[in-house]
């Protein structure tokens, strides 16, 4: 039996008239001073959603009332049937008025940038003969977990004092160090000296729902990417039999067999994640480890033996941050790095040598790297944190623990120019290899300096491929979905912070900008920043490896 007709047609609402009048007579202004078109789309969408909510509440303000929503007209208030159409029309008009401006245009712009990057990437490819790449040293098993959930699970409360620590000795230092990097969303990696604490973290991570296991370490991750992109790889590292079984058939392992591989804990967190009073400004990870094999470069001897018959086109070295803050005996680390330096210096001049930077805080180790490793590399790869750190040491200053996680293009380019100049002044060709390639990857963009006439080729396509690989890895898909990406690079950028410097617009149909300076070429490409993060760990290794593939 139907209820009385009046229940359907005699609805009474009492909207807040002052609020409605205010909205009708005052045009709200969207947020200003946004750094880029990508942020513009995001902020406008958020703003429009807030306005839409206000308009709905203004039109049917009774919804916010604890009183019953349906009431018979009692001689006061106002008849929804009489004025409902007018209110609905007002809501529609106001919603249109406050709609996110240019959403469809921004979507088209993103699609155009994507198709242009794909076209630039595909201009060159791997020849029939697969390039031969040797990559060392080390490797591990990564356990990836939600960092906040892990700390909550072990009962570690948020600290009131975020602090930097070179290494971790107890739970309080872990909380302080995590908070220090969590808020700016900066990547960090620290050695845990407390075996009991590290074991607790590992065991809790194993039990945490949603944990994932993967092959880890700079060398294996870069090897996997290069094998996927069409290279034959010699990988130096000490791995367990199970570890070796899951590697690509195009990867040959040189190193000892170990029963228990080193484990790294990857404490991932998304943008906007909260831990107590702290909120992460961007997605990233905090890594902890307590390695037994990697700091000693255990695979170096076997790697060196097999390298003689492998004849690589490219030799890549990474993973040396495992030596950072490790308790070596006196002189032990220097001897290991001297052996590694001899290996690099003895490689053929026709073989490119690339060194992948990482999160270093041990100034003694950095000093050894500057003396023994960097002079023998003609290519360097790093992120926006590692660039100012290395530059600071070359200037004679101290380690830079934390830098701007979202630097402007002009700032990065100036730092890259100075690094290129200082390295080549410090290590002239008579004392080593001149630096002829420098690749810096940030959240917003890729930037590369390549010496004209050097062996490195296809710079424009390499930068485009690096940009696309950033999205593919972080989103966890080889196919890029524009609905899960955004541009946060500025619509135009200055080539330098110097007054009067040229500004270069970001052109959708030609998003990779390249130009000549001094004896080198510079190329810059925007990233399609993934908004549905699957994994940040290994991002830099995948990006650097992908950029190198097209330049061998």
């Amino acid at each position: 039996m139907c209820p009385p007709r009046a229940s359907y047609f005699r609805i009474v609402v009492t909207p807040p008239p002052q609020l409605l009048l205010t909205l009708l007579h005052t045009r709200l202004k969207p947020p200003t001073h946004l750094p880029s078109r990508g942020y513009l789309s995001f902020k406008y969408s958020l703003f429009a959603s807030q306005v839409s909510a206000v308009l709905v509440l203004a039109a049917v303000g009774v919804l916010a009332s604890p009183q019953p929503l349906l009431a018979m007209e009692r001689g006061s208030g106002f008849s929804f049937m009489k004025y409902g159409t007018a209110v609905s029309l007002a809501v529609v008009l106001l919603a249109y008025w406050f709609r996110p401006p240019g959403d469809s245009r921004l979507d088209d712009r993103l699609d155009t940038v994507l198709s242009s990057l794909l076209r630039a990437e595909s201009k060159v490819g791997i020849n029939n003969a697969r390039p031969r790449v040797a990559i060392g040293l080390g490797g591990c098993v990564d356990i990836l977990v939600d960092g906040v959930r892990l700390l909550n699970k072990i009962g570690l409360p948020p600290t009131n004092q975020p602090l930097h620590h070179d290494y971790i000795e107890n739970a309080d230092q872990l909380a302080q160090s995590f908070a220090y990097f969590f808020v700016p969303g900066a990547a960090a990696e620290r050695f845990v000296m407390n075996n009991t604490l590290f074991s607790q973290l590992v065991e809790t991570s194993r039990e945490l729902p949603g944990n994932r296991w993967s092959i880890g370490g700079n060398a294996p991750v870069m090897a996997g990417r290069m094998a996927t992109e069409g290279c034959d790889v010699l990988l130096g590292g000490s791995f367990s039999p199970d570890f070796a079984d899951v590697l690509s058939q195009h990867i040959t392992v040189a190193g000892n067999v170990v029963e228990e591989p080193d484990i790294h804990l990857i404490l991932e967190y998304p943008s906007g994640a909260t831990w107590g009073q702290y909120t992460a400004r961007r997605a990233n990870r905090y890594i902890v480890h307590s390695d037994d094999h990697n700091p000693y470069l255990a695979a170096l001897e076997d790697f060196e033996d097999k390298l003689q018959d492998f004849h690589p086109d490219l030799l890549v070295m990474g993973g040396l941050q495992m030596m950072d803050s490790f308790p070596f005996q006196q002189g032990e680390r220097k001897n290991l790095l001297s052996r590694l330096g001899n290996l690099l210096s003895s490689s053929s001049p026709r073989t490119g040598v690339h060194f992948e930077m990482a999160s270093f805080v041990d100034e003694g180790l950095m000093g050894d790297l500057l003396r023994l490793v960097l002079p023998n590399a003609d290519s360097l790869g790093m992120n926006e944190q590692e660039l100012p750190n290395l530059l600071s040491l070359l200037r004679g200053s101290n380690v830079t623990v934390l830098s701007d996680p979202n630097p402007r293009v002009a700032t990065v380019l100036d730092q890259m120019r100075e690094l290129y100049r200082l390295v080549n002044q410090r290590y002239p060709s008579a004392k080593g290899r001149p630096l002829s390639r420098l690749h810096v990857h940030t959240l917003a963009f890729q930037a590369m300096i390549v010496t004209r006439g050097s062996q490195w080729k296809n710079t424009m396509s390499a930068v485009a491929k690096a940009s696309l690989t950033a999205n593919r890895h972080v989103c966890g898909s080889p196919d890029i979905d524009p609905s899960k990406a955004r541009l946060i690079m500025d619509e135009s950028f200055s080539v330098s912070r110097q007054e009067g410097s040229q500004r270069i617009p970001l052109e959708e149909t030609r998003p990779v900008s390249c130009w000549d300076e001094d004896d080198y070429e510079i190329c810059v490409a925007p990233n399609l920043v993934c908004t549905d993060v699957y994994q940040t760990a290994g991002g830099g290794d995948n990006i650097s490896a992908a950029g190198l593939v097209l330049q061998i």
Side-chain angles (χ1 to χ4, degrees):
M1 181 176 177
C2 294
R5 182 181 297 270
S7 296
Y8 283 100
F9 295 103
R10 303 288 293 189
I11 303 174
V12 176
V13 299
T14 308
Q18 188 58 45
L19 174 59
L20 190 56
L21 287 173
T22 300
L23 287 170
L24 288 170
H25 289 91
T26 304
R27 183 179 180 116
L28 300 179
K29 295 182 179 180
T32 57
H33 307 296
L34 301 177
S36 70
R37 185 64 59 91
Y39 280 129
L40 185 66
S41 175
F42 173 75
K43 293 291 188 182
Y44 261 120
S45 298
L46 178 61
F47 173 72
S49 300
Q50 294 169 336
V51 170
S52 298
V54 171
L55 293 176
V56 171
L57 290 175
V60 288
V62 71
L63 291 178
S65 170
Q67 302 300 321
L69 297 181
L70 297 179
M72 298 298 293
E73 188 173 39
R74 298 182 184 275
S76 62
F78 113 151
S79 170
F80 187 82
M81 280 305 295
K82 184 176 181 180
Y83 299 103
T85 302
V87 172
S88 299
L89 180 60
V91 170
V92 171
L93 290 174
L94 287 169
Y96 177 78
W97 193 12
F98 291 113
R99 75 193 184 282
D103 266 7
S104 60
R105 190 175 70 83
L106 289 172
D107 291 341
D108 292 342
R109 183 169 184 261
L110 192 62
D111 288 340
T112 303
V113 171
L114 172 58
S115 61
S116 300
L117 287 172
L118 289 169
R119 187 166 57 252
E121 177 190 38
S122 64
K123 281 188 175 181
V124 296
I126 302 296
N127 298 325
N128 292 332
R130 298 174 66 93
R132 300 173 69 79
V133 181
I135 306 178
L137 285 160
C140 62
V141 171
D142 283 345
I143 306 180
L144 297 97
V145 297
D146 183 301
V148 173
R149 291 183 65 186
L150 174 61
L151 298 184
N152 289 339
K153 184 71 174 179
I154 66 172
L156 186 61
T159 180
N160 292 322
Q161 191 177 19
L163 287 175
H164 157 67
H165 295 282
D166 288 349
Y167 48 85
I168 305 301
E169 293 184 289
N170 54 55
D172 288 341
Q173 290 183 350
L174 174 61
Q176 291 169 347
S177 181
F178 180 81
Y180 184 82
F181 294 100
F182 177 76
V183 174
E189 187 167 1
R190 292 294 178 267
F191 177 72
V192 179
M193 289 193 172
N194 186 325
N195 289 331
T196 302
L197 173 61
F198 189 74
S199 296
Q200 179 190 10
L201 291 169
V202 170
E203 291 308 313
T204 305
S205 297
R206 295 178 192 269
E207 301 168 359
L208 206 62
N211 73 61
R212 290 185 288 112
W213 296 64
S214 68
I215 294 175
N218 301 84
V221 172
M222 295 186 77
R225 170 57 61 180
M226 289 189 152
T228 299
E229 300 292 349
C231 299
D232 286 331
V233 179
L234 175 67
L235 171 61
S238 298
F239 308 121
S240 66
D242 292 340
F243 188 106
D245 288 344
V246 299
L247 294 173
S248 165
Q249 62 179 347
H250 296 290
I251 297 177
T252 301
V253 173
N256 305 322
V257 176
V258 296
E259 294 301 320
E260 292 292 333
D262 291 324
I263 292 178
H264 291 190
L265 293 181
I266 318 296
L267 281 64
E268 295 256 0
Y269 50 85
S271 175
T274 59
W275 186 49
Q277 68 270 38
Y278 305 113
T279 301
R281 294 201 291 266
R282 58 170 279 192
N284 224 315
R285 70 277 184 189
Y286 180 87
I287 303 174
V288 290
H289 67 91
S290 187
D291 282 11
D292 293 323
H293 306 101
N294 291 320
Y296 291 103
L297 310 182
L300 180 58
E301 184 175 351
D302 194 30
F303 182 67
E304 187 173 11
D305 289 342
K306 292 185 178 178
L307 195 59
Q308 296 177 8
D309 297 326
F310 188 70
H311 304 297
D313 302 298
L314 174 66
L315 175 58
V316 178
M317 194 57 54
L320 300 185
Q321 73 274 18
M322 295 301 99
M323 305 175 102
D324 200 90
S325 301
F326 188 81
F328 289 104
Q329 298 295 320
Q330 182 69 29
E332 196 171 21
R333 182 184 66 204
K334 185 177 180 180
N335 290 336
L336 289 168
L337 290 176
S338 294
R339 289 177 55 199
L340 176 59
N342 292 334
L343 168 65
L344 299 178
S345 64
S346 63
S347 60
S348 168
R350 295 187 299 274
T351 300
V353 177
H354 174 84
F355 176 56
E356 189 67 18
M357 282 287 292
S359 177
F360 294 103
V361 294
D362 185 335
E363 292 190 7
L365 172 60
M366 285 297 292
D368 288 342
L369 293 175
L370 291 178
R371 288 189 299 271
L372 301 171
V373 176
L374 257 68
N376 300 303
D378 42 21
S379 172
L380 298 176
M382 63 199 72
N383 65 22
E384 78 287 340
Q385 297 291 315
E386 297 150 8
L387 171 62
N389 189 18
L390 178 57
L391 186 57
S392 177
L393 290 166
L394 285 169
R395 289 170 177 164
S397 300
N398 298 325
V399 163
T400 302
V401 176
L402 183 62
S403 301
D404 183 358
N406 296 292
R408 307 299 290 267
V409 176
T411 300
V412 170
L413 292 180
D414 282 347
Q415 291 173 338
M416 292 176 69
R417 292 184 186 98
E418 185 178 3
L419 179 63
Y420 179 89
R421 177 178 58 83
L422 289 176
V423 170
N424 282 319
Q425 285 179 352
R426 183 164 180 160
Y427 311 118
S429 57
K431 295 183 179 180
R433 292 171 176 254
L435 178 63
S436 55
R437 180 184 182 274
L438 177 57
H439 179 193
V440 175
H441 44 86
T442 77
L443 178 66
F445 59 90
Q446 307 288 321
M448 193 177 292
I449 286 179
V450 172
T451 305
R452 286 193 301 276
S454 66
Q455 66 188 38
W456 311 105
K457 54 188 179 181
N458 306 320
T459 305
M460 187 269 290
S461 294
V463 174
K465 188 176 190 66
S467 170
L468 294 168
T469 302
N471 181 282
R472 289 163 178 154
H473 174 76
V474 176
C475 277
S477 171
D479 300 317
I480 297 176
D481 182 352
S483 69
K484 297 179 180 179
R486 61 188 177 107
L487 292 168
I488 65 172
M489 182 174 158
D490 294 336
E491 286 189 352
S492 66
F493 61 89
S494 294
V495 300
S496 173
R497 295 178 64 189
Q498 294 184 357
E499 187 175 352
S501 295
Q502 176 189 3
R503 291 195 68 86
I504 296 180
L506 173 57
E507 298 182 24
E508 292 92 332
T509 56
R510 299 185 66 182
V512 183
S513 301
C514 297
W515 65 95
D516 287 336
E517 293 184 13
D518 296 332
D519 67 337
Y520 50 78
E521 179 185 31
I522 297 179
C523 286
V524 176
N527 287 336
L528 303 175
V529 181
C530 177
T531 58
D532 186 14
V533 175
Y534 173 74
Q535 177 177 328
T536 65
D541 296 326
N542 276 273
I543 293 166
S544 285
L548 284 164
V549 163
L550 297 185
Q551 296 196 276
I552 303 172

